[in-house]
Amino acid sequence: MTAFRALFVDQKSPEETSLEIKSIQLDDLPEGDVTIRVHYSSINYKDGLATLANGNIVKNYPFIPGIDAAGVVIASSDSNFKEGDPVIVTSYELGVSHFGGYSEYIRVPSKWVVPLPDGLTLREAMIYGTAGFTAAMSVLALQDHGANPQDGKVAVSGATGGVGSIATAILSKLGFSVVASSGKQGSVDYLAKLGADEIVSREAFQPEKLRPLDKEQFAHAIDCVGGKPLSYLLSTTKYGGSVTTCGMSAGYQLNSTVYPFILRGIHLLGIDSVYCPYARRKEVWHHIATDFKLDSLDAITTEITLQDLPEALEKNVQGGILGRYLVRLI
Ligand SMILES: NC(=O)c1ccc[n+]([C@@H]2O[C@H](COP(=O)([O-])OP(=O)(O)OC[C@H]3O[C@@H](n4cnc5c(N)ncnc54)[C@H](OP(=O)(O)O)[C@@H]3O)[C@@H](O)[C@H]2O)c1
């Protein structure tokens, strides 16, 4: 039986956790139909939370976090997958209540497994990861509600984060004019390289006084942070526009009124990547591999190994990550 490496988070006390790379065996993995040799994983907001004692992600310790994995099937009892198939696993319970992707091997239910689409490598799939998948879902939701580049500017909040970076780059590739908001030093060059036309401060989307209806500015918006910026975007989106919501790093509360909806016909579109239905999931990955595929992936990627993960996860928790962190496990 082969021993392999995985990053474990453990609880030292109710207030303190520790991270350690340990050697385990395939038999230590949870039940599942498909066993996968993981080649790449990535860092998402939730992965940072999973390392915190008060992060409200991990229920049982010791635990292997990592909500993303891409690799090659080594064994499958489901005939839809066979040894050697390149596959992607994101969402569901992976890295939340089921041992996750910060491991050289995972075993998962086959209904979580998506075949790697043509046109995408395993490495590229994990540069997108859950963040890129969520960005792609957000852009598709705008398009499903009729958004097109002629409508005017599209706002993106939290633009240097994983979701925000990829949303900015996909929108720009599709010909949309993007107004990106960021609170990070050094974000201007970074966001300009991704194709943002205008870069504004974080405060620009969080004015002291929030009006129920403010001056119309944006045709549509992709909000990655919730809280005040989401309220602001609802009040400044033009008649008939759409605003997507997927995150809450600026807060989970929404301070708004019915006015944007009943006086401007604004659509507020909720985005959930975790239980996105399987058929839609495959469709989103197909877009990522084709019309949403970015040439600028290297500009947003920092590649690390399992050993580098504890430090990178801490940086993520402190909000210091620019773009996407790719974790190489081969
Ligand atoms: N609904 C879903 O299925 C789904 C899927 C994936 C992620 N998410 C959520 O989406 C959000 C973004 O995820 P991510 O992977 O992009 O995370 P991330 O890489 O950590 O980026 C979050 C970004 O939010 C901004 N931010 C952080 N703290 C803030 C604050 N206090 N006020 C305003 N902005 C703040 C920062 O951008 P700037 O420095 O550029 O301002 C930061 O880079 C998270 O809340 C995550 O949980 C949801």
Side-chain angles (χ1 to χ4, degrees), residues 34-326:
V34 185
T35 309
I36 297 161
R37 172 64 171 101
V38 179
H39 288 207
Y40 293 97
S41 180
S42 82
I43 295 185
N44 293 277
Y45 190 76
K46 227 179 192 177
D47 298 318
L49 291 181
T51 67
L52 299 178
N54 60 356
N56 283 327
I57 301 288
V58 179
K59 306 279 181 302
N60 296 304
Y61 295 95
F63 185 71
I64 304 173
I67 65 169
D68 287 343
V72 173
V73 173
I74 61 154
S76 172
S77 56
D78 181 325
S79 57
N80 287 313
F81 298 99
K82 60 177 190 320
E83 197 182 329
D85 284 350
V87 293
I88 302 168
V89 187
T90 62
S91 312
Y92 305 99
E93 299 306 318
L94 189 75
V96 174
S97 62
H98 188 103
F99 278 2
Y102 296 157
S103 174
E104 289 171 341
Y105 290 84
I106 57 171
R107 187 182 294 122
V108 293
S110 54
K111 63 184 181 195
W112 297 1
V113 183
V114 174
L116 182 75
D118 287 343
L120 210 59
T121 64
L122 292 170
R123 185 176 184 276
E124 287 167 339
M126 284 295 98
I127 295 177
Y128 288 90
T130 291
F133 183 86
T134 306
M137 279 186 84
S138 305
V139 175
L140 276 175
L142 293 186
Q143 289 182 324
D144 287 350
H145 281 76
N148 73 68
Q150 285 70 49
D151 297 342
K153 298 174 183 174
V154 179
V156 177
S157 60
T160 66
V163 181
S165 295
I166 295 180
T168 299
I170 294 175
L171 286 168
S172 167
K173 172 173 179 157
L174 297 176
F176 287 91
S177 167
V178 179
V179 180
S181 141
S182 173
K184 260 188 215 93
Q185 293 284 336
S187 62
V188 173
D189 283 355
Y190 172 81
L191 289 167
K193 269 192 213 141
L194 294 186
D197 298 276
E198 225 177 291
I199 295 137
V200 299
S201 69
R202 202 182 269 180
E203 291 70 36
F205 284 7
Q206 311 193 30
E208 213 135 277
K209 187 162 164 39
L210 264 179
R211 296 192 173 82
L213 274 185
D214 212 328
K215 187 169 167 250
E216 290 176 282
Q217 293 186 49
F218 309 111
H220 309 285
I222 290 184
D223 175 64
C224 306
V225 301
K228 254 189 164 185
L230 175 57
S231 309
Y232 176 72
L233 292 171
L234 286 172
S235 79
T236 52
T237 294
K238 290 181 187 172
Y239 193 94
S242 299
V243 178
T244 64
T245 170
C246 71
M248 53 177 201
S249 38
Y252 63 84
Q253 273 172 339
L254 175 58
N255 176 9
S256 187
T257 66
V258 295
Y259 292 142
F261 310 106
I262 66 172
L263 297 180
R264 288 192 183 152
I266 301 300
H267 310 278
L268 177 58
L269 310 175
I271 303 296
D272 171 51
S273 62
V274 179
Y275 295 109
C276 170
Y278 192 79
R280 178 67 165 176
R281 188 175 291 281
K282 282 176 75 173
E283 203 186 311
V284 175
W285 278 112
H286 174 72
H287 280 284
I288 289 174
T290 54
D291 53 328
F292 288 7
K293 186 155 184 207
L294 302 171
D295 300 324
S296 51
L297 286 178
D298 280 336
I300 61 170
T301 307
T302 304
E303 186 170 320
I304 61 169
T305 63
L306 206 54
Q307 281 91 332
D308 306 321
L309 251 175
E311 195 183 324
L313 285 165
E314 170 144 18
K315 202 168 167 191
N316 174 258
V317 165
Q318 287 161 3
I321 275 187
L322 201 64
R324 297 283 297 145
Y325 272 50
L326 176 75

